[in-house]
Amino acid sequence: MGMMEDSMTTERTLGGFLRHRGVSRRAFLKFCSAMASMMALPASSVTALAEALEQARRPSVIWLSFQECTGCTEALTRSNAPSIEGLIFDFISLDYHHTLQAASGAAAEAAREEAMHENDGQYLLLVDGSIPSVKAYSTIAGISNLDMLKEGAAGAAAIIAIGTCAAYGGLPKADPNPTGAMSVEEIVKDRPIVNIPGCPPLPLAITGLIAHYLAMGVMPELDRLGRPLAFYGENIHDRCYRRPFYDRGLFAETFDDEGARRGWCLYKLGCKAPETYNACAQIKWNQGTSFPIQSGHGCIGCSEPNFWDKGGIYDSVAMGQFGSGPKIAVAASLGAVAGAGAAVLARGKKHKTETELDSDD
């Protein structure tokens, strides 16, 4: 009996859970090293991070879905499998998620209320989808989204707004915003809120944030828009493998021209990477296989506020309402001039070399 109790106690920690799932100590430490690097923590913190994560207890999580397309849930559940970050999401006690749970109707709402009552002040509240300020537009079990959010937020230790709709209002908030859609932070003012925008967001940004919270007991450093700097600290343009073509002034003019086939910069075809902060270019999707720009389509800026109302998807940044567009347009023009100059210089060197080779013959 004592051995069984010890086993059950160990199983309730993240370390015990991972061992039970066959994760080796070496693999776990490798994950902790990657997590420390990603979160910009010093190398000396890896051991402390590993110890804290090993002893972390299973937290109660309530996931509320409002005006959304289920894309955020789809992205998470269809991400890498099996991976340690995926197992961390398996480890949490997901006590309410009306898309994934087996229960429905009164039983589902009873589970939500029980989880809030038993874990008052300690549970994580995850929210995806915007919240209509006009209550009649969206209800769950007869409860308006607005009232359900306020009720859930009251007892939450922290709130994670998952996806651009929850973080900024997203597509439902686009002009003319008939439902009066609002973001989580526009409604809740007295709880810690972390935004994980994206349409949908990177799954690793969600599980990485949860891992940080489990280990540290606090949320990581955030930018001015409430996003973790670890995932949203740099814009996609600066990390894009097409950046050298931008600097040389080499741009695709259409999606099927020679430049597009050669992988040239997609800036003129509407790529919003210069004004979009996210880790898409580093982490990518489908186990690091690709991301939209690598697939041949420009970034649409989906992790930035109000991206739906900032001009056409295929309009360049300078043509839309992205803040520093004119500067970027000038930079692109200078890049084109520099690129042309470099090309002339290269041709001159090539001609000189060929002439010298001919004279040697």
Side-chain angles (χ1 to χ4, degrees), residues 80 202 241 280-295:
N80 304 8
L202 289 162
Y241 74 99
C280 304
Q282 302 102 291
I283 297 175
K284 303 184 181 181
W285 297 82
N286 299 322
Q287 300 182 29
T289 301
S290 183
F291 71 112
I293 294 174
Q294 188 174 342
S295 299

Side-chain angles (χ1 to χ4, degrees), residues 59-83:
S60 173
V61 172
I62 296 173
W63 183 311
L64 302 178
S65 298
F66 298 135
Q67 287 191 130
E68 43 77 35
C69 65
T70 316
C72 298
T73 297
E74 288 280 353
L76 186 59
T77 57
R78 295 174 186 272
S79 61
N80 304 8
S83 64

Side-chain angles (χ1 to χ4, degrees), residues 155-168:
I159 302 173
I160 304 176
I162 298 175
T164 300
C165 292
Y168 309 132

Side-chain angles (χ1 to χ4, degrees), residues 230-245:
F231 299 101
Y232 299 91
E234 296 181 321
N235 66 39
I236 296 172
H237 183 63
D238 288 341
R239 290 288 189 172
C240 181
Y241 74 99
R242 295 179 188 249
R243 175 63 189 266
F245 293 114

Side-chain angles (χ1 to χ4, degrees), residues 94-144:
L94 189 57
D95 294 325
Y96 180 86
H97 188 313
H98 64 232
T99 304
L100 300 178
Q101 64 193 27
S104 61
E109 296 313 304
R112 179 178 62 86
E113 292 170 5
E114 182 180 352
M116 289 192 299
H117 176 72
E118 291 185 355
N119 302 284
D120 187 40
Q122 298 180 330
Y123 61 83
L124 282 176
L125 184 67
L126 276 56
V127 181
D128 73 313
S130 64
I131 303 91
S133 56
V134 182
K135 293 184 178 182
Y137 273 111
S138 182
T139 64
I140 300 171
I143 306 170
S144 72

Side-chain angles (χ1 to χ4, degrees), residues 14-281:
L14 178 57
F17 174 80
L18 292 177
R19 283 192 294 273
H20 178 72
R21 296 294 293 268
V23 176
S24 68
R25 175 71 177 171
R26 182 178 180 181
F28 179 65
L29 288 174
K30 185 177 179 181
F31 167 77
C32 289
S33 297
M35 186 61 62
S37 175
M38 191 181 306
M39 293 293 181
L41 299 173
S44 58
S45 68
V46 174
T47 301
L49 178 63
E51 290 177 356
L53 270 177
E54 275 197 313
Q55 298 305 315
R57 297 284 168 174
R58 194 178 188 196
S60 173
V61 172
I62 296 173
W63 183 311
L64 302 178
S65 298
F66 298 135
Q67 287 191 130
E68 43 77 35
C69 65
T70 316
C72 298
T73 297
E74 288 280 353
L76 186 59
T77 57
R78 295 174 186 272
S79 61
N80 304 8
S83 64
I84 294 181
E85 54 268 24
L87 290 177
I88 284 176
F89 192 76
D90 288 342
F91 170 71
I92 67 175
S93 179
L94 189 57
D95 294 325
Y96 180 86
H97 188 313
H98 64 232
T99 304
L100 300 178
Q101 64 193 27
S104 61
E109 296 313 304
R112 179 178 62 86
E113 292 170 5
E114 182 180 352
M116 289 192 299
H117 176 72
E118 291 185 355
N119 302 284
D120 187 40
Q122 298 180 330
Y123 61 83
L124 282 176
L125 184 67
L126 276 56
V127 181
D128 73 313
S130 64
I131 303 91
S133 56
V134 182
K135 293 184 178 182
Y137 273 111
S138 182
T139 64
I140 300 171
I143 306 170
S144 72
N145 292 174
L146 187 61
D147 289 339
M148 186 173 284
L149 173 63
K150 289 180 177 179
E151 182 184 7
I159 302 173
I160 304 176
I162 298 175
T164 300
C165 292
Y168 309 132
L171 176 57
K173 193 179 180 181
D175 187 58
N177 190 8
T179 68
M182 302 174 71
S183 66
V184 173
E185 62 186 5
E186 288 179 290
I187 297 167
V188 180
K189 303 294 185 181
D190 60 350
R191 289 289 181 273
I193 299 173
V194 179
N195 291 325
I196 304 290
C199 196
L202 289 162
L204 185 57
I206 303 171
T207 54
L209 176 64
I210 293 173
H212 186 284
Y213 183 79
L214 288 174
M216 307 298 185
V218 295
M219 294 301 181
E221 186 179 0
L222 308 177
D223 69 5
R224 64 181 181 83
L225 294 175
R227 306 175 296 194
L229 280 171
F231 299 101
Y232 299 91
E234 296 181 321
N235 66 39
I236 296 172
H237 183 63
D238 288 341
R239 290 288 189 172
C240 181
Y241 74 99
R242 295 179 188 249
R243 175 63 189 266
F245 293 114
Y246 173 92
D247 292 337
R248 291 163 57 194
L250 298 174
F251 303 96
E253 301 287 344
T254 67
F255 283 110
D256 61 352
D257 67 6
E258 187 64 21
R261 286 191 285 274
R262 292 187 176 189
W264 289 0
C265 180
L266 301 173
Y267 172 80
K268 291 186 177 181
L269 297 176
C271 185
K272 307 299 189 296
E275 286 292 324
T276 304
Y277 288 77
N278 211 332
C280 304

